[in-house]
Amino acid sequence: MPDRPYTLLSCGMSIDGYLDSAEDERLILSNEADLDRVDEVRAGCDAILVGATTVRKDNPRLLVRRPDRQLERVARGLKPSPAKVTVTGRADLDPTGRFFTTGDAEKLVYSPSAHVDAARSRLGAVATVVDGGARLTMRALSEDLHERGVGRLMVEGGGTIHTQFLAEGLADELQLVVAPFFVGDSAARRFVDDGPFPVRPGHPATLADVRRIGEVVLLRYQLSERFEEAG
């Protein structure tokens, strides 16, 4: 079986397991100290992946923020920030969004074969559009990223993407931050959907670390034997 990058999932959620509220305004689930931790994790990765819904809703930059971390990457012969990766079925993405217009690292858009032409027409000037095959899977995407030199992949959501990586057994670790409040609205987005998860009752993940960061808590889970203790 072809190899894949070391893959870590990074997520913040409420106590009751929601990634966001059902309102238009983005729900803040972290704090500055934790955002700096995430920035450090980003700096150690080769690529960052988010789903198309996250690109549309959050308009993320996905850049390493601290100049010293950018310089350290440049000293290693890398771009200041990792490559950006997204997945889209309809190519309904804004080419002027910050995902595409910020940073000089490569931007990759994976699309099913049926929509590749539309994606290249809309996004080809600002990103490399990759034909993901008739049925785009996260395994196929991971194997392609490995062939492109991505050794360490950070997946930042959203829930559909997290579900796919976890259900396909493609995640090596989960960095889960829990915010100190409830959302309490079933119309909001949960951390994951239903799925045939390898981590289940009788086959639990290993809790590798628990860390208080202000009023949020970081839970770090080992999901595979590839887990890196010092990651």
Side-chain angles (χ1 to χ4, degrees):
M1 182 179 295
D3 207 347
R4 61 174 179 81
Y6 181 88
T7 302
L8 64 93
L9 273 54
S10 176
C11 179
M13 70 178 192
S14 63
I15 293 174
D16 51 344
Y18 288 96
L19 300 180
D20 208 342
S21 69
E23 308 299 324
D24 291 335
E25 185 175 351
R26 183 181 180 187
L27 181 67
I28 303 301
L29 293 159
S30 189
N31 55 36
E32 281 301 316
D34 184 58
L35 290 174
D36 185 66
R37 177 195 65 81
V38 171
D39 191 62
E40 182 178 16
V41 176
R42 283 181 177 177
C45 293
D46 301 308
I48 303 169
L49 168 66
V50 295
T53 299
T54 299
V55 174
R56 284 191 294 267
K57 185 172 182 180
D58 295 347
N59 193 24
R61 291 175 296 178
L62 302 181
L63 302 176
V64 174
R65 299 193 304 172
R66 276 187 27 180
D68 60 323
R69 291 176 181 144
Q70 294 179 11
L71 290 172
E72 191 277 332
R73 285 179 56 87
V74 171
R76 292 191 285 126
L78 304 172
K79 297 286 188 181
S81 293
K84 304 180 196 182
V85 185
T86 192
V87 181
T88 179
R90 306 189 312 271
D92 183 20
L93 294 172
D94 182 359
T96 68
R98 295 190 297 186
F99 177 95
F100 299 106
T101 60
T102 60
D104 60 356
E106 187 174 19
K107 289 88 176 177
L108 296 169
V109 177
Y110 286 81
S111 177
S113 299
H115 300 280
V116 163
D117 288 345
R120 287 177 176 159
S121 176
R122 185 175 181 83
L123 304 169
V126 292
T128 299
V129 176
V130 182
D131 188 336
R135 179 178 174 271
L136 175 57
T137 67
M138 294 306 101
R139 181 169 294 282
L141 177 150
S142 296
E143 291 170 358
D144 185 78
L145 286 175
H146 182 264
E147 291 179 1
R148 294 173 185 271
V150 174
R152 190 174 182 88
L153 174 65
M154 183 177 186
V155 180
E156 295 196 26
T160 299
I161 296 293
H162 284 316
T163 300
Q164 291 174 315
F165 270 89
L166 289 166
E168 291 186 44
L170 299 173
D172 300 298
E173 71 172 277
L174 170 62
Q175 298 182 6
L176 185 65
V177 167
V178 182
F181 52 76
F182 296 84
V183 170
D185 184 349
S186 62
R189 187 66 173 88
R190 298 194 73 91
F191 168 35
V192 293
D193 302 315
D194 296 346
F197 301 111
V199 174
R200 61 189 186 278
H203 298 276
T206 298
L207 181 60
D209 188 26
V210 179
R211 191 187 320 169
R212 178 174 177 175
I213 307 174
E215 293 306 309
V216 305
V217 176
L218 168 66
L219 305 173
R220 188 164 176 246
Y221 289 97
Q222 174 181 343
L223 301 180
S224 84
E225 293 184 357
R226 303 175 73 194
F227 179 80
E228 298 174 1
E229 291 289 348

